[in-house]
Amino acid sequence: MILIDDPAIVAEVTAMADRYEAALMANELETLDALFRDAPETIRYGVGEMLYGFAEIAAFRKGRAGGSPQRRVLRRVITTFGTDLATVNLEFQREGATRIGRQSQTWVRTDEGWKITCAHVSLMADVS
């Protein structure tokens, strides 16, 4: 039976998710690139883009003027499966916006440490 939410593994992934959020808000491209698995199988679906492979993800970030819009995390759920796989899901709200955003990431432990292998960002319909 697979161990779910081992406290030590949850703590590791929490630290990585915190690092990702800080780098995203500071537009630290090197850190963001370092957190994604450098492989053609890595995928990131964004609000307006579908990126296949690490190279497309890195190119998108470099081409995005000003980086990600600033946001506030409303809720985050981290779930670990065994010692090498985790999901990080969160709800967020961009500064000055009324829409709620959602982000999901799949993290995998590699020889280089924890890496995002799949990510999805979307916005809910405007409720105002």
Side-chain angles (χ1 to χ4, degrees), residues 72-77 88-93 101 103:
R72 177 173 53 98
V73 174
L74 304 174
R75 182 176 183 178
R76 182 172 71 176
V77 176
V88 176
N89 291 280
L90 58 87
E91 296 176 21
F92 64 88
Q93 189 167 29
Q103 174 183 292

Side-chain angles (χ1 to χ4, degrees), residues 41-119:
E41 302 85 12
T42 301
I43 296 173
R44 181 187 176 276
Y45 293 149
V47 173
E49 65 282 342
M50 295 181 291
L51 307 170
Y52 293 89
F54 176 83
E56 287 186 15
I57 295 167
F60 166 76
R61 289 199 189 283
K62 287 179 188 158
R64 183 164 62 176
S68 179
Q70 295 298 294
R71 69 187 191 181
R72 177 173 53 98
V73 174
L74 304 174
R75 182 176 183 178
R76 182 172 71 176
V77 176
I78 296 174
T79 306
T80 65
F81 303 90
T83 60
D84 300 326
L85 183 69
T87 60
V88 176
N89 291 280
L90 58 87
E91 296 176 21
F92 64 88
Q93 189 167 29
R94 291 177 172 172
E95 288 186 10
T98 58
R99 296 171 78 182
I100 301 298
R102 300 171 288 189
Q103 174 183 292
S104 61
Q105 298 172 329
T106 302
W107 290 75
V108 63
R109 187 191 306 270
T110 69
D111 290 341
E112 296 81 36
W114 286 99
K115 302 289 182 179
I116 299 165
T117 190
C118 182

